[in-house]
Amino acid sequence: MERARAHEGGTPARCATARIPEQASAAVRRTSVRGQVLDALRAALVEGELEPGAVYSAPALGERLGVSATPVREAMQQLAVEGAVEVVPNRGFRVARRGPRELGELAEVRALIEVPVVLRLAGSVPAARWGGLRPLAEATVAAAAGGDRAAYAEADRAFHRALLGLCGNEQLVRVADDLHRRSQWPLGAGPGPDLAADAAEHVVLLDALAERDLPAVRALLRQHFAPDDAGRAGSGLPGV
């Protein structure tokens, strides 16, 4: 895991005589560190560096990250809310085990949310708008080719957020992104998903959307959310 470091600086105050209270400035720095710790822990989860079933203490993780235990505990509490870890009283946090069934359930819920939205957008969004998402799709291809699972996880979610964002429903995008993040934690033992195949589907899907080829879009969405040997996704798309 990369060391979490606080970044100092900010925009100048509008009034030269204004003073930020010391406790408020400390709170900003603490929030910055906590956010960096959270990002580092999420990357470690995706990479499998934090092993499913293992228990980790905040002080030990803080030492590895070069920070105090406090921002680690705060970040771990957020991960507990997201279902990535569970609190073990007097010991720390246990990394959740994600089996194929649970990942399948998460993907099925994602499909129930995302697929109807994309199909609705397929008939109304101009081709140029789909073309604007191509750099995000290509970023997933590059991350997959580099074998960087953490970078791929971020690029994958960025693509899906932008895709769904065309519907204009911010609450839907937040819910879908949360489900997507939950589905990215590692399975544990065994192979992970085929990142290259997953990324390639993004590019082909954009081509089909730009051409308004609805049968191809439906087929690609069914494939994108279908289960595979790694338990990547869900239990199918009824009605698609």
Side-chain angles (χ1 to χ4, degrees), residues 4 32 35 40 42 117-118 132 203 211 219 240:
S32 177
R42 282 173 172 163
V117 172
V118 175
V203 177
E211 295 170 4
V240 177

Side-chain angles (χ1 to χ4, degrees), residues 9-10 24 50 68 76 84 102 104 109 123 129 145 169 175 177 179 195 199 225 233-234 236 238:
L50 297 180
S68 70
M76 280 293 197
E102 184 177 358
V109 178
R129 296 289 298 278
N169 188 327
V175 170
D177 189 54
L179 290 167
L195 302 186
F225 287 97

Side-chain angles (χ1 to χ4, degrees), residues 42-225:
R42 282 173 172 163
L45 284 164
V46 172
E47 293 284 358
E49 189 175 341
L50 297 180
E51 299 180 4
V55 176
Y56 297 90
S57 72
L61 288 174
E63 184 176 352
R64 291 170 63 179
L65 290 167
V67 299
S68 70
T70 298
V72 176
R73 289 194 185 93
E74 293 171 344
M76 280 293 197
Q77 291 291 346
Q78 176 59 38
L79 291 174
V81 170
E82 296 175 3
V85 302
E86 58 184 18
V87 178
V88 180
N90 302 318
R91 293 185 61 194
F93 302 85
R94 177 181 289 112
V95 178
R97 294 184 183 275
R98 288 257 198 266
R101 178 173 179 175
E102 184 177 358
L103 289 173
E105 291 172 350
L106 285 168
E108 183 174 6
V109 178
R110 281 187 62 208
L112 291 171
I113 294 174
E114 295 191 38
V115 172
V117 172
V118 175
L119 290 175
R120 175 163 55 86
L121 293 172
S124 59
V125 173
R129 296 289 298 278
W130 298 122
L133 301 184
R134 185 168 292 276
L136 294 174
E138 292 173 348
T140 68
V141 173
D148 187 336
R149 300 183 63 82
Y152 181 81
E154 291 296 327
D156 186 28
R157 289 204 327 279
F159 172 79
H160 281 267
R161 283 197 304 270
L163 185 69
L164 294 176
L166 295 176
C167 77
N169 188 327
E170 294 181 4
Q171 299 303 317
L172 182 147
V173 174
R174 289 195 185 100
V175 170
D177 189 54
D178 179 64
L179 290 167
H180 196 169
R181 186 190 297 280
R182 289 170 183 262
S183 72
Q184 290 178 326
W185 307 135
L187 285 169
D194 186 341
L195 302 186
D198 194 71
E201 289 169 6
H202 294 156
V203 177
V204 179
L205 176 61
L206 285 182
D207 290 338
L209 287 166
E211 295 170 4
R212 294 199 175 182
D213 187 343
L214 294 185
V217 170
R218 290 191 182 93
L220 286 163
L221 290 172
R222 184 183 300 113
Q223 178 177 325
H224 198 63
F225 287 97

